[in-house]
Amino acid sequence: MQMTPDLAKQDCSACPIRHRAVCARCEPDELTRLEEIKFYRTYEAGQPVAWAGDKMDFVASVVSGAATLTQTMEDGRRQMVGLLLPSDFVGRPGRSGASYDVVAVTDLVMCCFRKVPFEQMMATTPHVAERLLEMTLDELDAAREWMLVLGRKTAREKIASLLSIFARRDVLVGAAHTRSVEFDLPLTREAMADYLGLTLETVSRQMSALKRDGVITLKGKRGVLVPDLDLLMEEAGDDSDGGMLS
Amino acid sequence: MQMTPDLAKQDCSACPIRHRAVCARCEPDELTRLEEIKFYRTYEAGQPVAWAGDKMDFVASVVSGAATLTQTMEDGRRQMVGLLLPSDFVGRPGRSGASYDVVAVTDLVMCCFRKVPFEQMMATTPHVAERLLEMTLDELDAAREWMLVLGRKTAREKIASLLSIFARRDVLVGAAHTRSVEFDLPLTREAMADYLGLTLETVSRQMSALKRDGVITLKGKRGVLVPDLDLLMEEAGDDSDGGMLS
DNA sequence: CGACGTGTTGATTCCTGTCAATACTCGTGG
DNA sequence: CCACGAGTATTGACAGGAATCAACACGTCG
């Protein structure tokens, strides 16, 4: 929850998410206006950012790290409804309270904008609103994709689907056509279970099963090596079919 | 798929969804511009509006009736990812193809806009883009709400959740404090199953169970009477708590 | 009447949840 | 140094809820 003064001085042109976040389309003068209302916040892994129903007087972009959005029922059942990665946007303009619990799952840096001036900017500069609409539509597509995972996939397919998300995100960074990928899971087994609508025991069992079947190799508790990304995506039931070879 | 000439002439001021659709915030002159690019289409119950991957050269608002958005896996498993009711928006500006199968589940009237001119309007008139952002954020919230249903609720709770949606939508129209509601299901058992991530047999069984327990009464195949809306919402596990009496 | 679509109900299977025991890692402190 | 505990992960035994397979009811339409 503490300010980070050295980060507060950074200017946007050096920002690692400059070209992907809500500010992606902003002109230099618009960036200057954003810089005036922005400030950074850092959270340690495990810390809450906001609880559902809390008043939130800011909106923000994830700069680095990861956070989760979760819903909880009275009896304790929990469902993750969003996984926020760098450049993702948090908070809803035009609504004062947080809709979900927001928790940092790794060390987290967020670029925050005070809500009122941000809303004024949205009203006056189309570039921010435009980009936010585009990002929201993408999130809606992702949420709907996830509805298929939650509603129709088996436990094994769910695990493979989640691993695919991380693997594909990292393969973009890595070599173009290596079919093998390696990454660190940003989530605990429990968080994975919350995301997938499973219990942590089932997650653990299916991870072991995928390892036994050679689909993945575990490097310690968090490290995952995927020797064949196509195979993993087949296990996910996505029929990815990146290249229409047939 | 056929034009409906008599509807095509209607002007927007008499439109039943005038104040809730994407055009809700438009000024009279903006409405005039929309009228120039709009046309109506009607579909019979069961007809497809578009298949996933098809090119869609228009976006549209549902005027009356209902349509579903569904995703299908190669082996036939299906998951409904959206239920479109009057005033809901179909289609994604800035994308040429449909992302999901769109099917009319009742007789359906849509107010369509040719995509290119609509996108031009979005770029030039903030009122359309503003309203679309707001609607998209609402849909994202609804999708996330549904993720909890799909991931964590029991079959009985899922059914109760779906019935609650219809019941609450109709209670707004009806009397203020009657706790009883009556409505017609717009969906078949199979469509309900697709929405809830269940089989149609389980849907049928749980409907019977809710009837047996007095939570609902069935009037024929489609009619549903909810004698106590609070009880139904309790069954849904939502802990709605519309009034914080405690 | 018989065929078809839709819905209900029954018998059985099996996947996942539940409850429980056991490992592994990492700090802390005696 | 090792004992101890907390947190996380793995594995096993068992139970239960939903899927599957199957039969049957109901209404409509030819």
Side-chain angles (χ1 to χ4, degrees), chain A residues 154-155 197-199 201-202 205:
Chain A
T154 64
L198 297 171
T199 60
E201 293 95 328
T202 299
R205 266 187 261 276

Side-chain angles (χ1 to χ4, degrees), chain B residues 95-176:
Chain B
R95 175 170 298 179
S96 61
S99 303
Y100 313 100
D101 298 333
V102 185
V103 178
V105 286
T106 67
D107 288 349
L108 179 70
V109 179
M110 300 217 301
C111 172
C112 307
F113 306 100
R114 284 178 296 127
K115 180 162 280 177
V116 172
F118 184 82
E119 283 165 1
Q120 286 167 350
M121 255 205 92
M122 286 212 1
T124 54
T125 76
H127 288 150
V128 175
E130 255 172 40
R131 176 66 185 142
L132 186 56
L133 174 58
E134 188 177 47
M135 291 174 71
T136 305
L137 285 165
D138 285 342
E139 275 190 88
L140 182 57
D141 277 346
R144 286 172 165 164
E145 188 77 30
W146 209 246
M147 286 170 64
L148 176 66
V149 173
L150 292 174
R152 291 303 184 192
K153 291 196 177 177
T154 64
R156 186 184 176 95
E157 289 169 333
K158 284 179 173 181
I159 298 288
S161 297
L162 182 58
L163 295 178
S164 291
I165 289 179
F166 296 124
R168 271 182 291 188
R169 212 169 54 89
D170 287 17
V171 86
L172 297 176
V173 180

Side-chain angles (χ1 to χ4, degrees), chain A residues 39-54:
Chain A
F39 57 97
Y40 289 89
R41 276 188 176 157
T42 65
Y43 302 84
E44 288 170 24
Q47 277 190 319
V49 175
W51 298 113
D54 281 2

Side-chain angles (χ1 to χ4, degrees), chain A residues 170-241:
Chain A
D170 287 16
V171 85
L172 298 176
V173 179
H177 242 300
T178 348
R179 303 315 309 173
S180 92
V181 199
E182 193 166 356
F183 59 90
D184 279 328
L185 283 169
L187 301 178
T188 64
R189 296 288 185 268
E190 187 180 18
M192 290 173 67
D194 285 345
Y195 205 178
L196 296 167
L198 297 171
T199 60
L200 64 88
E201 293 95 328
T202 299
V203 170
S204 193
R205 266 187 261 276
Q206 296 298 336
M207 290 287 285
S208 299
L210 288 174
K211 182 176 73 174
R212 171 173 46 71
D213 298 343
V215 181
I216 59 174
T217 307
L218 299 181
K219 311 271 195 179
K221 293 202 178 302
R222 294 299 184 84
V224 177
L225 168 64
V226 181
D228 182 349
L229 187 52
D230 288 335
L231 177 57
L232 178 64
M233 294 179 61
E234 203 167 310
E235 290 285 353
D238 278 338
D239 198 26
S240 57
D241 227 352

Side-chain angles (χ1 to χ4, degrees), chain A:
Chain A
M1 231 16 174
Q2 58 276 45
M3 276 281 283
T4 311
D6 48 338
L7 282 175
K9 294 196 167 74
Q10 289 195 353
D11 88 273
C12 293
S13 57
C15 178
I17 57 167
R18 164 72 181 91
H19 52 300
R20 287 192 300 154
V22 274
C23 51
R25 291 232 229 295
C26 288
E27 304 291 339
D29 61 311
E30 292 168 333
L31 273 190
T32 307
R33 290 185 54 197
L34 277 177
E35 279 174 354
E36 284 164 14
I37 64 170
K38 92 178 185 190
F39 57 97
Y40 289 89
R41 276 188 176 157
T42 65
Y43 302 84
E44 288 170 24
Q47 277 190 319
V49 175
W51 298 113
D54 281 2
K55 181 142 53 165
M56 261 184 78
D57 55 350
F58 64 94
V59 297
S61 295
V62 175
V63 177
S64 66
T68 59
L69 299 182
T70 60
Q71 274 185 306
T72 308
M73 294 170 66
E74 323 77 63
D75 61 8
R77 281 177 283 176
R78 285 194 309 180
Q79 178 62 52
M80 195 183 301
V81 296
L83 179 60
L84 302 171
L85 298 170
S87 83
D88 285 338
F89 186 80
V90 197
R92 171 157 180 171
R95 175 170 301 178
S96 61
S99 303
Y100 313 100
D101 298 333
V102 185
V103 178
V105 286
T106 67
D107 288 349
L108 179 69
V109 179
M110 299 216 302
C111 173
C112 307
F113 306 101
R114 284 178 294 128
K115 180 162 278 179
V116 172
F118 184 83
E119 283 166 359
Q120 285 167 351
M121 255 205 91
M122 286 212 1
T124 54
T125 75
H127 288 151
V128 175
E130 255 172 40
R131 177 67 184 141
L132 186 56
L133 174 57
E134 188 177 47
M135 291 175 70
T136 304
L137 285 165
D138 284 342
E139 275 189 87
L140 183 56
D141 277 347
R144 286 172 166 167
E145 189 76 29
W146 209 246
M147 286 170 65
L148 176 64
V149 173
L150 292 173
R152 291 303 185 191
K153 290 194 178 180
T154 64
R156 185 184 176 97
E157 289 170 334
K158 285 179 173 180
I159 298 288
S161 297
L162 182 58
L163 295 178
S164 290
I165 289 180
F166 296 124
R168 271 181 291 188
R169 212 169 53 90
D170 287 16
V171 85
L172 298 176
V173 179
H177 242 300
T178 348
R179 303 315 309 173
S180 92
V181 199
E182 193 166 356
F183 59 90
D184 279 328
L185 283 169
L187 301 178
T188 64
R189 296 288 185 268
E190 187 180 18
M192 290 173 67
D194 285 345
Y195 205 178
L196 296 167
L198 297 171
T199 60
L200 64 88
E201 293 95 328
T202 299
V203 170
S204 193
R205 266 187 261 276
Q206 296 298 336
M207 290 287 285
S208 299
L210 288 174
K211 182 176 73 174
R212 171 173 46 71
D213 298 343
V215 181
I216 59 174
T217 307
L218 299 181
K219 311 271 195 179
K221 293 202 178 302
R222 294 299 184 84
V224 177
L225 168 64
V226 181
D228 182 349
L229 187 52
D230 288 335
L231 177 57
L232 178 64
M233 294 179 61
E234 203 167 310
E235 290 285 353
D238 278 338
D239 198 26
S240 57
D241 227 352
M244 44 191 74
L245 301 172
S246 55

Side-chain angles (χ1 to χ4, degrees), chain B residues 154-155 197-199 201-202 205-206:
Chain B
T154 64
L198 298 171
T199 59
E201 292 96 328
T202 299
R205 266 187 260 275
Q206 296 299 334

